Amino acid sequence: MSPERLAVWTDFGGVLTPPISHTMGTFCAGQGIEPAALQEALVKVTARYGTADIMEPIDTPLVSEEEWLGQVSEVLAADHGVRGLRLTTLADAWFDGRETNLAWVSALRLARARGAFVGMLSNMVPTWDAHWRRMVDPDELFDDVLLSFEAGHRKPSPAMFALAAERAGVPAGRCVLVDDLAHNCAGAEAAGWTAIHFTGTAEAVERLDALLTAAGDSPALEAVPATHAAEGN
């Protein structure tokens, strides 16, 4: 492997999809729940597991998604008067009609064509695994996929980044994380990685192009519009 090769690890939710806040809003509207009430219930249940990260209990996982949702439903009923909510999984509601960021998919393909290792590094819930795979073709797009529930580690833990660098076969200094969450980017940088805080597709493409060019890859990435479009399953 060339020492100049970069390993580009992209997040899934909020990067290959619209922002999490957009998806959460759509979910709440469909369920008839006030977003603030759901957020409060999630925070209360999450605290029982000794963390402030609302996804950590189910994407490591510390608890099954069904049991976790039961606890959230109980809090919504007791604290907010939301009754009759009987969810066993968020997957159908969370992914049904969700859009794929096709512009970023194109950028990843171009990066791979330029010689970069391209992988997906995600804190993923086990029951969501089949759903995200309908949005992108992992075999076609990625050299590797590293998911928290399979690895037993999650971003932003040092162990997760160490494992990803090992799987890519490059040192930490040749790894790049593209993620929409600032604390994940900070964790990557603490592990010796370069991080691109994803706030928009066009900006991320520009940053990635600069990194690939500095590494000696060519030609430059083509301009990619910052849009999300529905992709057939």
Side-chain angles (χ1 to χ4, degrees), residues 194-211:
T194 298
I196 297 175
H197 185 198
F198 188 95
T199 57
T201 306
E203 295 83 357
V205 168
E206 184 176 356
R207 286 284 312 281
L208 182 57
D209 175 41
L211 290 171

Side-chain angles (χ1 to χ4, degrees), residues 132-153:
W132 75 261
R133 293 175 187 273
R134 292 202 297 266
M135 296 182 67
V136 295
D137 181 352
D139 294 331
E140 180 269 334
L141 188 58
F142 302 121
D143 292 295
D144 198 0
V145 172
L146 185 54
L147 307 176
S148 59
F149 76 89
E150 294 177 330
H153 307 293

Side-chain angles (χ1 to χ4, degrees), residues 63-141:
V63 62
S64 72
E65 185 189 18
E66 184 173 0
E67 183 179 349
W68 180 78
L69 283 170
Q71 295 172 13
V72 172
S73 298
E74 289 171 3
V75 173
L76 282 169
D79 294 358
H80 303 281
V82 177
R83 305 187 187 282
L85 192 62
R86 293 292 182 267
L87 294 174
T88 57
T89 178
L90 287 177
D92 294 331
W94 198 255
F95 286 91
D96 194 24
R98 201 175 192 190
E99 298 173 330
T100 302
N101 186 346
L102 299 182
W104 186 240
V105 168
S106 296
L108 293 174
R109 287 193 181 115
L110 286 168
R112 200 176 183 195
R114 292 176 67 177
F117 171 103
V118 174
M120 190 177 99
L121 186 63
S122 178
N123 295 340
M124 184 67 68
V125 181
T127 51
W128 296 6
D129 192 54
H131 295 262
W132 75 261
R133 293 175 187 273
R134 292 202 297 266
M135 296 182 67
V136 295
D137 181 352
D139 294 331
E140 180 269 334
L141 188 58

Side-chain angles (χ1 to χ4, degrees), residues 212-229:
L212 291 170
T213 299
D217 296 302
S218 62
L221 292 175
E222 300 174 1
V224 180
T227 58
H228 290 80

